[in-house]
Amino acid sequence: MPGDRIANLWNVVGRDIASQEGTIYSEAMKSIDGVWTYDTLNSLIALPGGFVPGTMMEHLDYTPPDEQGRIDLISYLRMQSDEPMPLPD
């Protein structure tokens, strides 16, 4: 897969969905409005086709992580920022 197809995950938490310049997104992903919050990331990681019907992730051999795996992944993504988004109360 060409490098320009892989989204840069730096500052992904809080970024508009499907907004990384130079990244190719499916029409399904481009149709989703909003920003990547902890909730939206959790929804995508837990069940990609439920969050973005028609996403390319539905066609990959994707096994969603369990709840702790999602928490760990989202925590990692949160720290990939100069100013991490505050955690929810």
Side-chain angles (χ1 to χ4, degrees):
M1 178 167 19
D4 64 349
R5 293 192 62 168
I6 299 170
N8 180 342
L9 297 177
W10 189 259
N11 287 322
V12 72
V13 180
R15 180 193 305 158
D16 288 340
I17 295 172
S19 66
Q20 178 66 38
E21 193 169 322
T23 300
I24 299 169
Y25 296 98
S26 67
E27 290 303 315
M29 185 66 78
K30 290 190 288 188
S31 73
I32 302 296
D33 290 326
V35 299
W36 289 119
T37 65
Y38 299 119
D39 288 336
T40 56
L41 285 165
N42 185 57
S43 294
L44 175 72
I45 295 165
L47 188 62
F51 183 74
V52 185
T55 182
M56 289 187 279
M57 288 177 73
E58 288 180 319
H59 306 291
L60 301 175
D61 186 18
Y62 178 77
T63 302
D66 63 13
E67 182 178 13
Q68 186 60 53
R70 292 192 311 272
I71 290 168
D72 293 345
L73 177 55
I74 294 166
S75 294
Y76 171 79
L77 292 173
R78 175 182 180 265
M79 297 310 300
Q80 304 309 299
S81 172
D82 292 325
E83 297 180 30
M85 181 183 279
L87 293 170
D89 293 331

